Amino acid sequence: MRLVANIKERQASYRALDSKDKKTYWKEFALNNALYFLIIVAVIYTAVQNPKFVSTSSIVNIISLSAANIPIAVGIAGCIVLTGTDLSAGRVVGLTACISASLLQAVDYPTKIFPSLPVLPIPLVILIVVLVGAIVGVVNGFFVAHFKLHPFIVTLATQLIVYGVLLMYIMLNGNNGQPLSGLDQSFKDFVTGSVLKIDGVPIPNYVWYACIIVVLMWFIWNKTSFGKNMFAVGSNQEAANVSGVNVAKTIILVHTLAGAMYAVTGFIEAARIGSNQANTGLNYECDAIAACVIGGVSFVGGTGKIRGVVMGVFILRIIFVALNFLSINQNLQYVIKGLIILVACAIDMRKYLVRK
């Protein structure tokens, strides 16, 4: 009933505008949603050029690839809501992926990095990697909150630190940087196994884990005092502080939660990739940031929705898959990705300036 009332109210407001205002309305609408219109056109064009793009296997593939990136995206979205960012996200994914793989290698694997270690229980490994990710998040949040350093500088530093730790980790016990593979079957079944098929195409289990994370993060953002404080701090730190919000604590908690989400991504990637090395997670933060901006999470701060982040992840993945179906050169894909980020940021800033 409320939705119907809102629609009727918008229609009534639109009818009340004169012809000049209506033209301005449609112009603003077109500019603010230009990226979505272009994506719709691109999807239709790709489907016409290559009908396999809309096949069941292709759609499931897009869903699966999106699900694998949702945890890191919803994690970094919180940092963006605080008018910051997190350049360490991809390296945290790589470190936690390698830790997960090393602790869940099959006992009989010839080059097992810890030969005397049995296959640990999966819940214990999840707890370990989430703790590792959370520690990195605490460090990021602490320096941002208490030393008033820009998140770009702090996370650039921790990105290098985490990468150094990762390089040392994969050198342990004479591994000499070899890819960590030979994962135990129970681990692969837990992450990449399937309990449901569509037209014979299996849907990986990590899709359901991503759904759980989306619901959990939606609840945290919208139904808890922590979520309200996060948006208050992102909108105006001084006003939030005057209102009784513990700004430093909120910033640290947001980065801690983000680190935990990166770790979940790393755990999933470990099994999804199957062969983990130093470059695992490289530039993952770029895709996550792009997805957040496309989904309406503003760098101006205090603005963003979980459903928007999820939509941004799907849109970005659709574009990448479409480029592959159109046989676009891999090098050109980087150019297109950069242009998408640039256009999305420009539209976002324009919306802010119009509101201001």
Side-chain angles (χ1 to χ4, degrees):
M1 293 296 292
R2 187 175 180 180
L3 177 61
V4 173
N6 287 337
I7 293 173
K8 289 182 177 179
E9 184 178 343
R10 283 173 176 270
Q11 290 175 339
S13 300
Y14 177 73
R15 284 194 295 268
L17 297 173
D18 58 32
S19 59
K20 185 177 180 180
D21 288 335
K22 286 180 179 179
K23 288 181 180 178
T24 303
Y25 172 86
W26 285 114
K27 181 181 177 182
E28 291 295 321
F29 179 81
L31 288 172
N32 291 336
N33 296 279
L35 190 61
Y36 296 103
F37 294 143
L38 290 174
I39 289 167
I40 292 171
V41 171
V43 168
I44 295 172
Y45 176 78
T46 305
V48 171
Q49 292 294 316
N50 192 336
K52 290 183 179 179
F53 177 65
V54 291
S55 66
T56 302
S57 59
S58 175
I59 293 172
V60 171
N61 180 50
I62 292 171
I63 292 172
S64 302
L65 292 173
S66 300
N69 286 277
I70 280 176
I72 184 176
V74 294
I76 213 167
C79 301
I80 297 175
V81 168
L82 294 182
T83 70
T85 187
D86 194 339
L87 301 181
S88 68
R91 292 306 185 186
V92 175
V93 170
L95 176 60
T96 52
C98 287
I99 292 174
S100 301
S102 66
L103 298 179
L104 290 166
Q105 285 181 303
V107 176
D108 57 351
Y109 188 64
T111 57
K112 183 176 169 66
I113 192 170
F114 299 120
S116 60
L117 187 71
V119 177
L120 297 183
I122 288 176
L124 177 59
V125 175
I126 295 175
L127 182 63
I128 291 171
V129 295
V130 166
L131 182 61
V132 170
I135 289 172
V136 177
V138 168
V139 172
N140 287 336
F142 179 81
F143 279 92
V144 171
H146 291 286
F147 291 90
K148 306 303 179 184
L149 298 175
H150 195 282
F152 182 92
I153 300 300
V154 175
T155 58
L156 176 62
T158 51
Q159 177 195 61
L160 297 172
I161 294 169
V162 170
Y163 186 49
V165 172
L166 169 57
L167 292 174
M168 290 186 287
Y169 187 84
I170 60 177
M171 295 293 289
L172 293 175
N173 293 334
N175 188 63
N176 294 325
Q178 307 265 346
L180 299 173
S181 52
L183 305 179
D184 189 73
Q185 190 61 42
S186 62
F187 179 34
K188 291 188 284 188
D189 290 342
F190 181 79
V191 176
T192 60
S194 177
V195 295
L196 179 65
K197 294 182 179 181
I198 297 179
D199 289 341
V201 181
I203 299 178
N205 289 333
Y206 62 81
V207 171
W208 313 121
Y209 307 150
C211 292
I212 293 172
I213 287 171
V214 168
V215 173
L216 176 63
M217 292 297 289
W218 178 87
F219 179 81
I220 291 173
W221 277 32
N222 295 281
K223 300 297 181 180
T224 66
S225 58
F226 163 71
K228 295 175 182 177
N229 292 343
M230 178 183 72
F231 283 103
V233 172
S235 297
N236 190 318
Q237 284 195 21
E238 293 183 6
N241 188 47
V242 171
S243 301
V245 176
N246 189 328
V247 174
K249 179 182 178 182
T250 301
I251 292 173
I252 292 173
L253 285 176
V254 168
H255 282 275
T256 303
L257 181 60
M261 290 296 102
Y262 308 155
V264 173
T265 303
F267 177 81
I268 291 172
E269 286 297 278
R272 195 178 73 86
I273 295 173
S275 180
N276 300 272
Q277 52 190 332
N279 283 335
T280 299
L282 179 64
N283 291 332
Y284 276 35
E285 69 276 4
C286 296
D287 289 350
I289 292 170
C292 290
V293 175
I294 291 172
V297 183
S298 176
F299 274 102
V300 175
T303 303
K305 296 180 183 298
I306 289 296
R307 68 171 181 268
V309 177
V310 174
M311 184 63 69
V313 171
F314 272 97
I315 289 173
L316 203 61
R317 194 51 52 187
I318 288 170
I319 293 170
F320 295 162
V321 172
L323 293 175
N324 288 325
F325 270 94
L326 293 173
S327 300
I328 301 296
N329 183 276
Q330 186 69 38
N331 298 329
L332 183 58
Q333 290 188 26
Y334 287 106
V335 176
I336 295 173
K337 185 189 298 187
L339 288 173
I340 290 170
I341 296 172
L342 200 59
V343 171
C345 289
I347 292 173
D348 171 66
M349 184 54 65
R350 188 183 179 281
K351 289 179 183 177
Y352 168 71
L353 292 174
V354 168
R355 287 198 302 268
K356 191 174 180 181

